[in-house]
Amino acid sequence: MSPARFFTPRGRIERAPYLVYGLILLALKLSLDAAVCLLVFHQPWHWSDYLRPQSLLMAAGHRITPAFAWTMLTVAAPFAWMGICLTTQRLRAVRAPIWLVLLFFIPFLKVALIALLVLLPSRSENAPAPVPAPPAGWRSGLPESAFGSAALAVFVAALFGALCVGLSLRWRHAYVESIFIGTPFFIGFLGALLHETRRPRPLREAIGVALLALFMVGAVLVAVAFEGILCIVMAAPLALCEAVVGACVAHGFGAALRGRGAATFSFLALMPLLMLTENSAPSPPLISVTSEVVIDAPPAQVWPHVIGFAAIPPPHELIFRAGIAFPVRAVIEGRGVGAVRHCIFSTGEFLEPITVWEEPVHLAFDVAAQPDPLEELSPYRHLQTPHLRGYFKSARGEFHLIALSGGRTLLRGTTWYSDRIEPQVYWRFWSDLIIHRIHLRVLDHIRAESERSGTAAL
């Protein structure tokens, strides 16, 4: 193979050279990244860093500066392009849809795509479309009708998915990326593939089987007290997308996979293998969320309602009524640094030792203890799922009171937290949204109480 072929998506490549060249490029990439980190930025680098999102690199000791980020992206760019070119050539060789190369950019799914391309043999470029062979062996026992085939596919895919989730939650006790990215993908892939085993089916049927199997997995997890309804709903957008992608991949590779049971089962074994070897982040970085309101009262009038506030009316927001913990009231013991603020939530009490007391402009505190972040919606009372214990931690918080013209105050609240549920890019959206809603519940109440006390004083 000419070296120029590494930089063009045209042509075809066999699976053995594809695997060998891929391993060589991976070794070169690892060595080059390590050299740049050690010699240029004087930072450690390890192969496991590729399994972590960027936010976790900070927890591993890396200082993510613009220079560091741009340098590493520049180093990665030619390797990414060569990987895309080789993968496109390999997709053409197995006569699979070229759009599947997009999976090369998705963590975890990239591994699945490469594994499939290594397992499947090439198909002749000029060969006619294969005529489906009469089902033999175990395939002959599968239902031929669309309904029977779909029902069996949904059952098997849902069982496979539930076992994978149970393996991670009960054996690993970890919410790793493979649960929310890998498992839904493999559920969709397996369901669609089984549905098409006896005969080709429309793509819409493959997607329908995938989504129904995913729904069944969620129902099983709720029924056996593995998870609550609220967390299943929050995970649904990501899981639904991954299941659809899995169904599309199975449909795209359908002709190549049909009748190749060994390759298919070897590929499915990749899911539990990756789940068992994937590492969760032991020390995720702190993330900050800031919210603010403008209050028609001076800082001195707002301050007493910041350090402690009366009971807030029951929430009307759906997110709190569904079970997310919400603030109820706050009281403080003592004054100045060393005082302890007690912020009462619907699920328990935050203990907040005061670290900064600059009346009436700045209040800061650590979080010494915190309650459960939510109360799960479940048929079972007091459901305690693993993610309620230590996965979401609030570290500290602060209030800034900034005087504005006209006797008004800009009240700004900030919370620093960490979240160990993967993928953090996705779950941070939910965490930031929830914390922002909690902030606004408190800040709006402080605004109402401050403005009311000012009116009463008049």
Side-chain angles (χ1 to χ4, degrees), residues 28-237:
L28 291 174
K29 178 70 164 53
L30 287 170
S31 302
L32 185 58
D33 283 349
V36 170
C37 285
L38 291 173
L39 301 178
V40 179
F41 294 97
H42 309 289
Q43 298 192 50
W45 190 265
H46 190 262
W47 66 267
S48 63
D49 292 335
Y50 293 99
L51 304 178
R52 302 178 184 276
Q54 177 178 323
S55 59
L56 296 185
L57 296 181
M58 290 183 282
H62 300 292
R63 299 185 300 277
I64 306 298
T65 63
F68 179 85
W70 281 109
T71 300
M72 300 309 294
L73 285 174
T74 301
V75 170
F79 290 93
W81 176 246
M82 286 187 284
I84 291 170
C85 291
L86 293 176
T87 300
T88 303
Q89 295 172 32
R90 185 68 194 136
L91 286 168
R92 188 176 291 110
V94 300
R95 298 181 66 180
I98 300 300
W99 65 262
L100 291 173
V101 75
L102 295 175
L103 299 184
F104 191 83
F105 297 97
I106 304 177
F108 196 93
L109 298 191
K110 176 198 290 189
V111 179
L113 175 64
I114 293 172
L116 265 180
L117 294 177
V118 170
L119 288 170
L120 292 176
S122 300
R123 297 168 60 192
S124 175
E125 192 170 6
N126 299 319
V131 177
W138 63 272
R139 293 189 299 130
S140 62
L142 298 178
E144 188 172 359
S145 68
F147 177 81
S149 174
L152 179 64
V154 167
F155 173 78
V156 174
L159 179 62
F160 175 82
L163 290 175
C164 287
V165 174
L167 174 69
S168 180
L169 295 187
R170 292 304 187 218
W171 191 78
R172 291 284 315 277
H173 299 286
Y175 288 83
V176 289
E177 281 191 350
S178 53
I179 290 182
F180 301 106
I181 295 181
T183 301
F185 172 85
F186 277 85
I187 290 171
F189 180 90
L190 178 58
L193 189 64
L194 285 175
H195 187 48
E196 296 190 8
T197 297
R198 284 295 297 261
R199 61 174 59 184
R201 311 279 184 180
L203 177 60
R204 65 178 182 276
E205 290 187 16
I207 293 176
V209 165
L211 296 181
L212 187 55
L214 186 66
F215 173 82
M216 292 298 296
V217 171
V220 168
L221 294 178
V222 172
V224 300
F226 266 51
E227 280 296 341
I229 297 174
L230 182 58
C231 288
I232 294 293
V233 170
M234 288 194 290

Side-chain angles (χ1 to χ4, degrees), residues 335-349:
R335 290 180 62 83
V337 175
V340 178
R341 189 169 180 264
H342 301 261
C343 193
I344 313 301
F345 271 59
S346 57
T347 57
E349 178 179 331

